[in-house]
Amino acid sequence: MAEPTKKRVTDIGPPHYKKFLPPVILANYGKWKYHEIPRPGVLMHVSESGDKLYSVRAASPRIVAIDTVRMFADLADKYCGGFLRFTSRNNVEFLLTEDKNIDPLIADLTAAGYPVGGTANSISNIVHTQGWIHCHSAATDASGIVKSVMDEMTQHFTKMELPGKLRIALACCLNMCGAVHCSDIAILGIHRKAPQVQHDKVKAMCEIPSAVASCPNAAVRPAVVDGVQSIEILEEKCMYCANCYTVCPALPLNNPETDGVAIWVGGKVSNARSEPRFSKLAVPYLPNNPPRWPEVVDTVKKIVEVWAANARKYERMGDWIDRIGWPRFFKLAGIEFQKQHIDDFKHAGLTFKRSMHLRYDKE
Amino acid sequence: MAEPTKKRVTDIGPPHYKKFLPPVILANYGKWKYHEIPRPGVLMHVSESGDKLYSVRAASPRIVAIDTVRMFADLADKYCGGFLRFTSRNNVEFLLTEDKNIDPLIADLTAAGYPVGGTANSISNIVHTQGWIHCHSAATDASGIVKSVMDEMTQHFTKMELPGKLRIALACCLNMCGAVHCSDIAILGIHRKAPQVQHDKVKAMCEIPSAVASCPNAAVRPAVVDGVQSIEILEEKCMYCANCYTVCPALPLNNPETDGVAIWVGGKVSNARSEPRFSKLAVPYLPNNPPRWPEVVDTVKKIVEVWAANARKYERMGDWIDRIGWPRFFKLAGIEFQKQHIDDFKHAGLTFKRSMHLRYDKE
Amino acid sequence: MARKPTPKLDQLEKGPWPSFVREIKKRADKNATCADLLGVLEKSYEERVGHWKHGGIVGVFGYGGGVIGRYSDVPEEFPGVAHFHTVRVNQPAGWFYTSAALRTLCDIWDRHGSGLLNMHGSTGDIIFLGTSTEHLEPIFEELTQAGFDLGGSGSDLRTPSCCCGEARCEWACYDTMAFCQEMTMHFQDELHRPAFPYKFKIKAAGCPNDCVASIARADLSVIGTWRDCIEIDQAEVAKHAAKGNDIVKDVVMNCPGKCLSWDGKALTVVQEDCKHCMHCINAMPKAVRPGKERGAALLLGSKAPIMEGALLSSVLVPFIKMEPPYDDIKALLEAIWEVWSEDGKNRERVGEFIQRVGMGNFLDAIGLDPDPSMVAHPRENPYVFYDLGGNGKE
Amino acid sequence: MARKPTPKLDQLEKGPWPSFVREIKKRADKNATCADLLGVLEKSYEERVGHWKHGGIVGVFGYGGGVIGRYSDVPEEFPGVAHFHTVRVNQPAGWFYTSAALRTLCDIWDRHGSGLLNMHGSTGDIIFLGTSTEHLEPIFEELTQAGFDLGGSGSDLRTPSCCCGEARCEWACYDTMAFCQEMTMHFQDELHRPAFPYKFKIKAAGCPNDCVASIARADLSVIGTWRDCIEIDQAEVAKHAAKGNDIVKDVVMNCPGKCLSWDGKALTVVQEDCKHCMHCINAMPKAVRPGKERGAALLLGSKAPIMEGALLSSVLVPFIKMEPPYDDIKALLEAIWEVWSEDGKNRERVGEFIQRVGMGNFLDAIGLDPDPSMVAHPRENPYVFYDLGGNGKE
Ligand code: SRM
Ligand code: SRM
Ligand code: SRM
Ligand code: SRM
Ligand code: SF4
Ligand code: SF4
Ligand code: SF4
Ligand code: SF4
Ligand code: SF4
Ligand code: SF4
Ligand code: SF4
Ligand code: SF4
């Protein structure tokens, strides 16, 4: 670490947001009256004062080169006084007051390869994580799957023709940095083999008691192997959460043959109509098949299609499944129901069907 | 045990029910078409054949003297060829074919002190257990509370003026022999002090390892007291379930000062409209106050009254609370919400309110 | 009469509801046990605590269940209840009796016990309430001579019970009483000789109204249902409407499948959305009835809270035709009992057992395929077990 | 350019969605780190496994968080990514920028790292993706000179984030950005110097639509709402109807409070039944709006699955006026942190902590009264704890 210099300051926090707000926002802060969505990717917010703000939303791959950020800055200068923002799903939004600038801006963005859309009943950007780009924990890549899936979904981003919003998220391991656990469709990197204990490294790299304590299922035990203090893993108790690996680097789980992806459906976050809820397991395992993960793409596509074809207006994925029931979801989506779908963790019993509210399909 | 005699037979099972069915049932078995309820306590079942069966239902205290059973037998002979049955809620039903016999039978039953009713949207008999009449486990009496509550509810038994069915059940301890856990209103005997270990008796009366294993909360531990193998109870981990007492008689929990009754609401069993569900805690503790338990009677009465006044047609207790929300239930029922209402056992987290679907009462 | 005054209990003779105190008093001057029962109960009412000791093991020869031993902790004060055992007598299916059968039972009980009974116990048995050890064998012999037998207690199959079903109900989707009788008879050995890790209860209800609360208190709940469409008699629906029933508000809006509609003339249903809840049928007798393709669902595992919390039964077989002698169900039960007896812990009910070993593993063990009807929803947590070989191929 | 061909990654340059490979390539010929990133990623794509080692502890002087150390497990093959640390830069509230501010950030990052960023990380930070240890201090100095500071990592307060709220949304029930800014500034020490049992996240959403997913991924979720009646502009409702919106089907039937009705002329609401779900407001902008008495609910404890399963936040304070400088919320947070820091286990998030110690005990400890809005429903199990004195009186 270099020595700190004299003029070094700390704990200043981020710049105050007011410095970055366009005049129309400063003037109408807290006074917005309503909004309309004149076309996909464009929000028009109208203030009590009558002032209007147009936000133009473009897709972003989230990993952006500074070249691209500078290009965004240039476009912002060109069309909206240099004011722009990013959204909670990592899209970029240009904040315009001149409606005549909307079309040229969209044209420039589209030409540069950043499609405009993601508003209202569309599929917005996939919230995702680091994958093989940066994280040691990743059971799959993030950006590659996102790109492959969104290439097939772009028409749902640039149009607003779905029954409701559809939020896809991806996390490359069970830590779920993408907070995928409440998504309409979640793509999750998973391991399926217990950690390989590197007995020669355990003592140097790990605190054995923390590693033991880290396991949610008591599968990690202290052990003496070839006379050295180490760890043993009870294979049959391990459900590959990697929590022990997080605290002890000598317990890697990555395995090219058995790692892969699980697909989850029906979660949501908003309180609109129904309550927020977790996503549920749809497909326990699909292989890692770079660069385009065709099995994952096809599965997601199929699920989106049956939902789009069958859901009623405003029905999010989970609301739709609630209405038609899980048995019919599995049938329509062409997914085989397996042992793995049935919960067997802590609260498993609460997921069993404990009523006679059963549906029987016509044969 | 006396020696078994020669003619002793075993494993014969109960008599075949067909011996006990009246001719009208034998003739129309499986051919009933519909029913009507011409007056409270009277069911008229009509067969595809046009035959009619009238069932007249009378209240029973469940503990009956053979004198009473003989009297029922006499009435059955007098009015319906000697055919009668008991219901799953311990009422007695006389099975008539002559409608002219209905009124005289009802008159006789009423005169003998066995009111007729319990059909359709009424309060039927209280399913209950042994209490101080027979069980060593009882934290309260059963029959005394049932009698006291039903004395106040009899008009809801003999009339059918409630929004839906209302099922009350009572169990005198957490073993819940009355299966009270799915009742519109459940009355439950509870302890509130950990078992008193009778150190002098433990070794003779108990298997210490079973006692230790029996505790759901790991509050029971082997211990040596005054040189004798015994048991110790971790007071702060005990939630008074008495499971250890069931396996080890030297661990009694009965305590006249602290035992009492808890009230639960909103459970159901039928699948009509909503799914079956457990009752939830309404009042954590009311004192044992024999012979008439006025606190219990008043609480049950109040709950029945607010429900009857506010629920919509067909709304069982739980459906009604679902619609209005728990905060308003507590307000209307005049019950203070306390720490004890909040679950802190195994699945507690799943009972927390994890959404913004909140209601705010007008002040 | 009690030997001492019972001022507290006497208060419970008043009021419109039938009085259990009056029942006891009916016998208290004929029977010393009843007299002392009044006395000890008055004492409990005074002291606010029970006076029974933990039961000992008593029973009849060759049976492991059917009798609950009970002793007073104040036998000197109330010698009539020093022993106060109960005898569980297996009720006839559906609790149907003739006056003659009842009198026979009363006579036996008059000779050998307090003359007080529970009609019936919560599991369904006739309960003879209060006798002493030496009467047990005679009671048993007289009962069997009269065609009755004991019910279950302890870690055995408990007395199965059922709703009146086809005997008296138009909605029964199978013959509950025939089924209950057949199970009771077929499994007499399991009923009388405890060999399970804990008790096992069977309850049979003819339709999802579940008038025996089977889903809440049976290890095996057999609940009737139908798998085709509800039957609608439009003319009868119109009569309900004419009588003033608000079909939309009372029926359509209360349908959990959201599959009914009423246009003022016809009630229509989207068959595959129907959840078989019974509401429309309940609300409009004669007009709506269960479909023709009838059978039952088998649900497993309900119980009271001890020790991990109460359970409702959960779906094991979403639909099965109910065909006597029910060999399929008997085979399934035997498979379940085998797995549970082998791997269940002492005092672990089958519902708890399934939770502990995992539903998926349990299904593997009893040889049933997973079905999405078995779950309210698939798992939410990502903690999935796999058993991949050394090379990682499945 | 990568040092070797990248045929697999190249396939990801095609297709309509913006390509992260193209982003990396934009810099690959200017920057050795990016060139080697392409190389190592191609290797991962070939081998189907990542090539990063478990991070070591690196950071800037005096801070315990803000930097994630990362090293390659094939440094000889790809020396440009031998170190590949990320720097988390605290975003401005609501992710608003000027072009000038963005250029400043780009310039700093151009001088000291790969020139790749995440706009933004899942917690909300600007992420500088890939640098080596010796650049960390210079980056920090230049950032602070430009008015920026690091975000959180490790067992500290993480970078709070918020929806755009009153800046751009008509439904914001409080000023999310002001609140987020104030919390971030007030708790700088907690943010930069890990002293908690584990991470603690704050997210602020202006209304129950929760556009920052706060209920799913913040230890403290602050979600705007109103406690009086929704505001209805009947003329605007009529316009929605005229435009062809089916008010009954789309709005009334979807209302979870079952409290709306529409007679073709007026939309009426039963105020006390409204669940504040936002649906009618969402479905009819301009016509329906949140009420006037606005504030927020505070919910606690959401998180990802490690280790007991994921949690959503649960209601702690059902309604609070949001008044700067939010002293009440600060005090509450400090009380929570004190109890959790004292009794929480290492790596135990506050949501898990509450489940372990029990919500009732937790409320006692932080000095809040129980409220029925905190639970979906009261307990179902009878396992209630009491703490009665020796004589049994409370
Ligand atoms: C810009 C953004 C907030 C921000 O500060 O960044 C935002 C902005 C708006 N949201 Fe949102 N939401 C944004 C993320 C979210 C999220 C969070 C997420 O996706 O991770 C949610 C929760 C999603 C979920 O439930 O899983 C969210 C759930 C909603 C909803 C509820 C939708 C529903 O029916 O469940 C509405 C209401 C609506 O659209 O009718 C809404 C409505 C809106 C409105 C109309 C609010 C307004 O009047 O300005 C804004 C335009 C929405 C649109 O795109 O059509 N916003 N909105 C976020 C844009 C993300 C993006 O780039 O796509
Ligand atoms: C006689 C009995 C069955 C038996 O074999 O003994 C019985 C008989 C009938 N039940 Fe039942 N039920 C009987 C216990 C039950 C139980 C079990 C219990 O209470 O422990 C339930 C479940 C209660 C619960 O959900 O907690 C039960 C839930 C129903 C329902 C559903 C009610 C609902 O809206 O939830 C119906 C349908 C209805 O009444 O509309 C029903 C309907 C009926 C019908 C109308 C069926 C028929 O067509 O014959 C019978 C007359 C009902 C009446 O009393 O109005 N029966 N019924 C039981 C009488 C008990 C008593 O003495 O009061
Ligand atoms: C007599 C009866 C209550 C009544 O007044 O009706 C009864 C009485 C006893 N039950 Fe029960 N149970 C009775 C039906 C039930 C039911 C209801 C049912 O079967 O439908 C339940 C709830 C359903 C269930 O099985 O879970 C029930 C759940 C229990 C439990 C808790 C079991 C559990 O797994 O949670 C125990 C405790 C135990 O088994 O150790 C128990 C234990 C007992 C014992 C044997 C007490 C003990 O710990 O040794 C009681 C003897 C009382 C006595 O002195 O007479 N009893 N018990 C019922 C049996 C009568 C009959 O045969 O018809
Ligand atoms: C960078 C980021 C993912 C991204 O690409 O955006 C990230 C990356 C990591 N997260 Fe995360 N988390 C990131 C947001 C999240 C979120 C989402 C959020 O904050 O809204 C979650 C879910 C919400 C939550 O907090 O529970 C999240 C849940 C985790 C967990 C599981 C925590 C748990 O209690 O279940 C871990 C494991 C741990 O803490 O040991 C984790 C651990 C990690 C580590 C530090 C890996 C580790 O085990 O050491 C990752 C470093 C990756 C790398 O090499 O860059 N990360 N992590 C996100 C932070 C960027 C930022 O500051 O803006
Ligand atoms: S989800 Fe897992 S692999 Fe992906 S960034 Fe987070 S910790 Fe790393
Ligand atoms: S991966 Fe998870 S379950 Fe397996 S041993 Fe490690 S901590 Fe335990
Ligand atoms: S509920 Fe408890 S006290 Fe009552 S009879 Fe059953 S075991 Fe005995
Ligand atoms: S009463 Fe229950 S919780 Fe208390 S020590 Fe006994 S078994 Fe454990
Ligand atoms: S459960 Fe169904 S079939 Fe049996 S009595 Fe009740 S309503 Fe009739
Ligand atoms: S049985 Fe129930 S779910 Fe089926 S149509 Fe009738 S009310 Fe609807
Ligand atoms: S959470 Fe509410 S206030 Fe914030 S942007 Fe979304 S809709 Fe607007
Ligand atoms: S906000 Fe939601 S609950 Fe309230 S009236 Fe509107 S739709 Fe109904």
Side-chain angles (χ1 to χ4, degrees), chain C residues 144-207:
Chain C
T144 46
Q145 289 311 312
F148 282 88
D149 198 346
L150 298 194
S153 72
S155 294
D156 58 12
L157 174 65
R158 297 300 182 87
T159 311
S161 78
C162 64
C163 77
C164 53
E166 296 192 346
R168 219 245 337 247
C169 182
E170 69 268 32
W171 298 326
C173 293
Y174 73 98
D175 188 344
T176 53
M177 296 191 357
F179 173 74
C180 182
Q181 180 76 11
E182 178 60 27
M183 291 292 130
T184 308
M185 297 310 289
H186 186 80
F187 292 119
Q188 280 290 300
D189 190 43
E190 286 76 1
L191 210 158
H192 295 307
R193 286 159 207 100
F196 295 151
Y198 205 4
K199 55 186 97 167
F200 191 98
K201 295 181 180 175
I202 301 179
K203 286 188 168 61
C207 80

Side-chain angles (χ1 to χ4, degrees), chain B residues 358-362, chain D residues 225-227 271-272 274 276 297 318-319:
Chain B
L358 295 171
R359 281 167 162 152
Y360 302 104
D361 265 338
K362 287 186 202 172
Chain D
T225 192
W226 64 100
R227 50 174 303 155
Q271 176 186 338
E272 66 269 28
C274 172
H276 301 81
F319 190 84

